[in-house]
Amino acid sequence: MNEYYQKLLENNKVWVESQLAIDKDFFKDLAKGQNPQLLWIGCSDSRVPANEIVGAKPGEVFVHRNIANMVVHSDMNMLSVLDYAVNVLKVKHVIVCGHYGCGGIKAAMGNQSIGIIDNWIRHIKDVYRLHHAHLDSIEDETTRFNTFVELNVKEQVFDLAKTSIVQGAWSNGQDLTLHGWVYGLNSGFVTDLEVNISSEKDLDDVYQLKF
């Protein structure tokens, strides 16, 4: 059997043993159900582990990940996760977390065709189009790149607020707040972008749904 694959299986056994050494009922308790207060919408990048970043244990964070942490209104995968998190698990917080150095964001700044992912990156390009005047005015490429990462997160938070799922929860008086973060790969710290939305009143009138 492939050495790398075999190592994965061995690592699992070590992890189980380490958890049981701390708490012999760890897995029995975990199997009883989950009650997370947080839904994390992050990038698929392997360097951005949701639980570890916030010091959360298994069962404390409900997670959805895709290329460049996008909230696409027609993405049934994302919407299904969001619906379950909000309406069944009753999470109180949703964090959209991007990260500096994101390959999806970098690809959206150029014109090189990559493959089928081009269709996904087009959604990111739409964010660039919304902010092109500001982004194009930034001469330093790294600064422009980082700014685009931040603007993309902010737009995804607003796109979350526009969904009928989130607005329906607010209409029912549910305690739910949306947040935007960016993670620094080279530091481990997150930056709160201070885009915190807990009401449809933060949206333009055209996006406010009537229930």
Side-chain angles (χ1 to χ4, degrees):
M1 188 178 291
N2 179 273
E3 183 178 348
Y4 171 76
Y5 181 74
Q6 185 63 39
K7 185 63 176 176
L8 296 178
L9 295 173
E10 293 173 359
N11 287 347
N12 171 251
K13 293 177 182 178
V14 172
W15 177 70
V16 170
E17 291 170 358
S18 67
Q19 295 300 321
L20 293 176
I22 298 171
D23 179 4
K24 63 181 178 61
D25 294 321
F26 178 81
F27 294 104
K28 290 181 181 179
D29 293 338
L30 198 62
K32 293 176 182 177
Q34 59 176 327
N35 187 33
Q37 294 192 46
L38 166 65
L39 167 61
W40 174 283
I41 298 178
C43 184
S44 297
D45 193 300
S46 61
R47 300 167 294 175
V48 191
N51 281 58
E52 287 88 341
I53 287 173
V54 295
K57 299 176 182 178
E60 294 181 345
V61 182
F62 203 60
V63 178
H64 174 77
R65 297 171 71 170
N66 61 47
I67 299 298
N69 42 270
M70 300 299 289
V71 175
V72 178
H73 73 277
S74 57
D75 179 2
M76 290 303 297
N77 187 351
M78 183 279 300
L79 291 173
S80 296
V81 171
L82 178 64
D83 183 65
Y84 190 80
V86 170
N87 292 319
V88 178
L89 297 176
K90 304 295 183 182
V91 298
K92 296 182 182 299
H93 301 273
V94 182
I95 293 175
V96 177
C97 185
H99 66 96
Y100 297 116
C102 179
I105 299 295
K106 185 67 173 178
M109 296 175 71
N111 299 105
Q112 181 63 47
S113 176
I114 303 172
I116 194 171
I117 195 176
D118 295 341
N119 299 281
W120 185 259
I121 289 174
R122 201 220 70 197
H123 295 293
I124 312 173
K125 288 179 178 286
D126 288 343
V127 175
Y128 197 106
R129 178 176 55 82
L130 287 172
H131 299 278
H132 74 91
H134 174 51
L135 290 168
D136 290 345
S137 70
I138 302 173
E139 294 185 4
D140 180 72
E141 184 176 353
T142 300
T143 302
R144 185 166 64 251
F145 185 10
N146 291 341
T147 302
F148 188 14
V149 168
E150 295 170 355
L151 289 172
N152 183 62
V153 168
K154 291 179 180 179
E155 288 297 334
Q156 304 321 303
V157 174
F158 279 104
D159 283 344
L160 265 181
K162 295 170 188 175
T163 65
S164 59
I165 297 168
V166 169
Q167 291 195 42
W170 286 334
S171 178
N172 292 329
Q174 193 167 328
D175 181 12
L176 180 64
T177 305
L178 315 178
H179 313 272
W181 288 6
V182 177
Y183 175 67
L185 294 174
N186 61 353
S187 71
F189 289 107
V190 296
T191 299
D192 184 351
L193 297 179
E194 298 182 357
V195 51
N196 303 295
I197 305 177
S198 56
S199 168
E200 72 282 353
K201 294 181 175 61
D202 291 317
L203 298 172
D204 292 337
D205 289 345
V206 71
Y207 293 114
Q208 296 183 24
L209 302 176
K210 307 299 181 183
F211 291 88

